[in-house]
Amino acid sequence: MGCNCKASGSMPKFDENEKKEKLIPIILKYVAKIIGFLVAVALLPLIMLMIIWFMFDTIVLNKEVDLRVVIDKFVKNKKFFNSDDDDDDDDDDDDDEYLTEDDVVMLNVEDITIKSK
């Protein structure tokens, strides 16, 4: 059911050896995780060099890879280079060229001009 701590008025007693047995596996688990993390961090430069060499070997040294074909497909598609479809907000800048000072109503602006009496 429960320890009935409130009714008895005393706290349940735990064995101190029981705490130490549970604490040691927890410490070992975190030490193993920290060592694994440090090994992974130490191997990152080696992994990055391997990735750079693989990219260099694939792009530069491989005679079968022709990047002009890939670039031509991007240019023909024009999906990546055409910004008219993506952002219509850029076109709003040209709309206010025909407006005059009388056409514009200023909101939330204080009048700072010197008025003569």
Side-chain angles (χ1 to χ4, degrees), residues 11-52:
M11 296 291 292
K13 295 181 181 180
F14 294 106
D15 189 19
E16 290 182 15
N17 292 333
E18 190 175 293
K19 288 182 182 179
K20 289 181 183 177
E21 289 175 1
K22 291 182 179 179
L23 187 61
I24 292 173
I26 292 172
I27 292 173
L28 290 176
K29 181 174 71 170
Y30 281 108
V31 167
K33 286 183 177 184
I34 290 171
I35 290 172
F37 174 75
L38 292 176
V39 168
V41 168
L43 291 177
L44 277 177
L46 180 63
I47 294 170
M48 290 299 292
L49 285 175
M50 290 172 47
I51 290 172
I52 291 171

Side-chain angles (χ1 to χ4, degrees), residues 18-19 29 35 39 48 55 76 92 96 104 109 111:
E18 190 175 293
K19 288 182 182 179
K29 181 174 71 170
I35 290 172
V39 168
M48 290 299 292
M55 288 173 42
K76 286 179 184 176
D92 293 340
D96 59 353
V104 179
V109 177
D111 187 18

Side-chain angles (χ1 to χ4, degrees), residues 78-91:
K78 292 185 183 180
K79 180 179 179 182
F80 297 102
F81 298 106
N82 193 357
S83 64
D84 293 338
D85 296 335
D86 296 337
D87 294 329
D88 291 334
D89 296 338
D90 295 338
D91 297 336

